[in-house]
Amino acid sequence: MSVIRRPAMRVVMVLPYALIVLVIVVDVLAGSAILLSLLAAPAALASATGRPRSVLLVGVLAFVVCIGAFVADEGVTEERGAVALSAVALVALAAAYASDVRLKAERRLVGVQTVADAAQNVILRPVPRRSGHFDLAVSYISATVGARIGGDLYEALPHPGGLRIIVGDVQGKGLTAVGAAVTVLTAFRAAAPADDSLQEVAEHIEEALERREEGEEFVTAVLADCTERGDVTLLSFGHPPPLVRRAGGTVLTAEPEVPGPPLGLPGGLAALHEDGPGRFALRLEPGDRMLFYTDGTTEARNAEGEFFPLPDHTDLLGEPDLADALAGLRDQLASHVQGPLDDDAAMLLLRFAPSTDGT
């Protein structure tokens, strides 16, 4: 798996032959083998993209041209010719070996990436486009180059009478953050489908985090219990509040008066109780939408250090297709940052869309 893009790769593949032609043309025009030493370079260039056999082919071609230049130019001494021929042969052999090593490394990388992709698909599974009376779409941008998962997490699971959602963000980065995200998602997937309260789901997650032997990461998260009637109960644990865009276009922030503490803090389980902070309730009407997101979205900075003004772009949430709405937000985010993100950014968009026949 080469990291060179296709147009650039074609140029690189042509360069060795172009260099050989250049040497021939310059030497013919000059009437002297003045570029003879450059004939060692084509094989080295070919090793960047070519297979060992094609690298050797370039080396043989350069060797033949070197012999021809040596024979044709009587001004080339035997010592210089021998040095040039030896250099071409040795570089060609070394380049072929380097090409073989590169190909083996690329095959190993492909295997590792395949396993990583499979693991990522298990950790962050695609959410259903439709669940009961709700339409859903998600977007995830990892700050780690080449990865599709980091410390951010999301899940949406059917529940008797509705849908349950979690969107969260693990403090920290790297594999330890991924491990904490797996712990949270596993606990949520085990507890959310059961006919337990949302409070009990949060307690199940807190217990799972307390059982971890390694890592001290805490997790900000928002849990949502959405009924088929459109009633939504939120539990916020130090997480950015969801945005609600009404069907008429007005926008409100689903923020509790007192946010709850993040999950995974020492003594966090004792702090969880039915009347604890972080609660918010609202009712959705048909066509209303809720955007859940992580702080990698709102804390993305531009060159001037300004945060991404997510509320200023909520008009994009009105797109008929939810995936298009999130794509528009991603485009605005990329335009704001003008470069790679410093943190993962996850977004989950929900639309309350009960069927017209009441089912």
Side-chain angles (χ1 to χ4, degrees), residues 86-109:
S86 299
V88 171
L90 290 174
V91 171
L93 292 174
Y97 174 74
S99 172
D100 183 62
V101 171
R102 175 182 57 80
L103 285 175
K104 289 178 180 178
E106 288 181 353
R107 292 190 189 103
R108 287 194 296 269
L109 181 60

Side-chain angles (χ1 to χ4, degrees), residues 35-112:
L35 298 182
L36 195 62
S37 59
L38 283 182
L39 288 172
L45 288 173
S47 67
T49 57
R51 296 179 178 275
R53 185 176 300 178
S54 62
V55 173
L56 287 175
L57 177 62
V58 172
V60 169
L61 179 59
F63 191 82
V64 170
V65 172
C66 189
I67 292 176
F70 173 62
V71 172
D73 189 353
E74 297 180 354
V76 178
T77 64
E78 291 185 2
E79 291 79 6
R80 184 188 173 198
V83 169
L85 289 171
S86 299
V88 171
L90 290 174
V91 171
L93 292 174
Y97 174 74
S99 172
D100 183 62
V101 171
R102 175 182 57 80
L103 285 175
K104 289 178 180 178
E106 288 181 353
R107 292 190 189 103
R108 287 194 296 269
L109 181 60
V110 168
V112 171

Side-chain angles (χ1 to χ4, degrees), residues 87 90 133 216 218 238 252 306-307 309:
L90 290 174
H133 290 174
E216 298 179 353
F218 63 82
L252 64 91
E306 300 169 336
F307 291 126

